[in-house]
Amino acid sequence: DSGVTQTPKHLITATGQRVTLRCSPRSGDLSVYWYQQSLDQGLQFLIQYYNGEERAKGNILERFSAQQFPDLHSELNLSSLELGDSALYFCASSTTGDSYNEQFFGPGTRLTVL
Amino acid sequence: AQKVTQAQTEISVVEKEDVTLDCVYETRDTTYYLFWYKQPPSGELVFLIRRNSFDEQNEISGRYSWNFQKSTSSFNFTITASQVVDSAVYFCALSELAGKLIFGQGTELSVKP
C-alpha cells in the first residue's frame, strides 16, 4: 500500500458526460501528479500540483482540468467525455515535487466511456 | 527531447532463469534521475528504484540488480532466479524538471512455473 488513495476505483459513464476523480496523497506529501495509462498512448503525464499551485502541465486536453485543495487532496475533472478517454488514471504524490523525489502511485481509477 | 525506450515488449522465461530488462534513455540534461516501476496484474504501480545521473554504481537488492551506464544511456534491470510473482509489466522512467516522469512503453514479463 503506497499510502495514496484514489476514488472511485471504477467508473462507467457515457459519451458527453463529466466525471470527477479524487486523490488523497500520502501523509506529508505536498505534490500531486496525474497520469493517464491507455493501450495506445502508454503512461502519459497530465498535470502536477505543488501545495495547491499548478507546477507542470503535460499533454492534458482542454476538456480536462484539475485542482489541489488546501487539505492537499486533488481532483481531476474530465468533461465532454469521448470513447478515447477510456483509460486508467493514476494519481501519484511526492514530498516536494522535485525531480529527484520518487513518486508513489495510487491504485488508479479505471474509466470506461460507453 | 527526452525519451525512454524499452525495446522488449514481452519476455517469457521459466522460473529460476535470470532475465534482463533493457532501458535506453535520451536527455540533454546533465542532472537527471531514472526510475523503475513494477505494475503487477492487480494494476498498481510500485516504485522499485531511483538512480541519479552522478551515481553509476550498480545496485543490488535481493534478487534485483540495476546496471546504469551513462556512456550508452542505459539503465538495465536484472532479476536473478526469477519467480512467478515477478510476472508484471516493468516500466523504466526518466524524471524531468519539476518531477514529471517520462515512461517507456513497458516490458511485460511472464515467468512460467
Side-chain angles (χ1 to χ4, degrees):
Chain A
D1 186 347
S2 66
V4 179
T5 60
Q6 288 187 249
T7 56
K9 197 171 173 69
H10 300 278
L11 202 44
I12 301 174
T13 189
T15 53
Q17 296 298 304
R18 173 189 169 95
V19 297
T20 298
L21 313 184
R22 184 188 166 104
C23 166
S24 292
R26 287 188 323 158
S27 177
D29 284 357
L30 298 178
S31 193
V32 168
Y33 307 77
W34 287 97
Y35 291 86
Q36 180 194 59
Q37 185 178 29
S38 62
L39 279 174
D40 51 344
Q41 297 290 327
L43 264 164
Q44 299 277 320
F45 167 76
L46 295 178
I47 198 163
Q48 179 201 8
Y49 282 84
Y50 173 75
N51 207 18
E53 299 290 325
E54 181 184 305
R55 187 182 250 194
K57 217 165 182 174
N59 294 327
I60 187 167
L61 299 171
E62 283 193 14
R63 300 183 286 108
F64 295 3
S65 65
Q67 52 184 324
Q68 185 180 28
F69 295 87
D71 67 352
L72 301 178
H73 91 271
S74 178
E75 292 180 358
L76 178 67
N77 300 296
L78 316 176
S79 61
S80 302
L81 285 167
E82 302 175 359
L83 295 178
D85 298 326
S86 295
L88 188 52
Y89 291 85
F90 284 108
C91 168
S93 73
S94 71
T95 47
T96 63
D98 293 307
S99 56
Y100 53 82
N101 288 157
E102 53 265 41
Q103 294 177 29
F104 293 90
F105 283 75
T109 293
R110 184 167 294 282
L111 173 66
T112 303
V113 182
L114 300 175
Chain B
Q2 272 137 323
K3 187 179 173 183
V4 176
T5 301
Q6 294 179 256
Q8 305 149 309
T9 309
E10 296 176 15
I11 300 177
S12 183
V13 299
V14 176
E15 218 173 8
K16 298 184 185 172
E17 281 185 28
D18 298 348
V19 58
T20 295
L21 310 183
D22 297 333
C23 172
V24 173
Y25 62 92
E26 294 174 31
T27 181
R28 290 181 187 163
D29 294 341
T30 52
T31 302
Y32 52 89
Y33 297 85
L34 296 162
F35 300 80
W36 275 94
Y37 282 85
K38 174 182 180 179
Q39 187 174 37
S42 50
E44 75 273 23
L45 280 163
V46 179
F47 166 77
L48 294 178
I49 191 172
R50 174 192 60 200
R51 175 59 91 221
N52 74 57
S53 54
F54 298 112
D55 183 0
E56 286 195 69
Q57 274 194 338
N58 290 338
E59 180 148 347
I60 298 175
S61 175
R63 297 184 297 106
Y64 294 173
S65 62
W66 291 269
N67 179 251
F68 174 37
Q69 291 197 339
K70 271 177 98 165
S71 59
T72 55
S73 297
S74 65
F75 185 41
N76 297 336
F77 173 30
T78 297
I79 302 175
T80 303
S82 59
Q83 299 176 1
V84 173
V85 292
D86 296 326
S87 296
V89 181
Y90 291 86
F91 291 93
C92 180
L94 171 67
S95 181
E96 263 196 0
L97 212 60
K100 160 188 170 181
L101 287 176
I102 299 166
F103 285 91
Q105 287 301 306
T107 297
E108 183 172 3
L109 174 64
S110 175
V111 182
K112 301 193 184 308

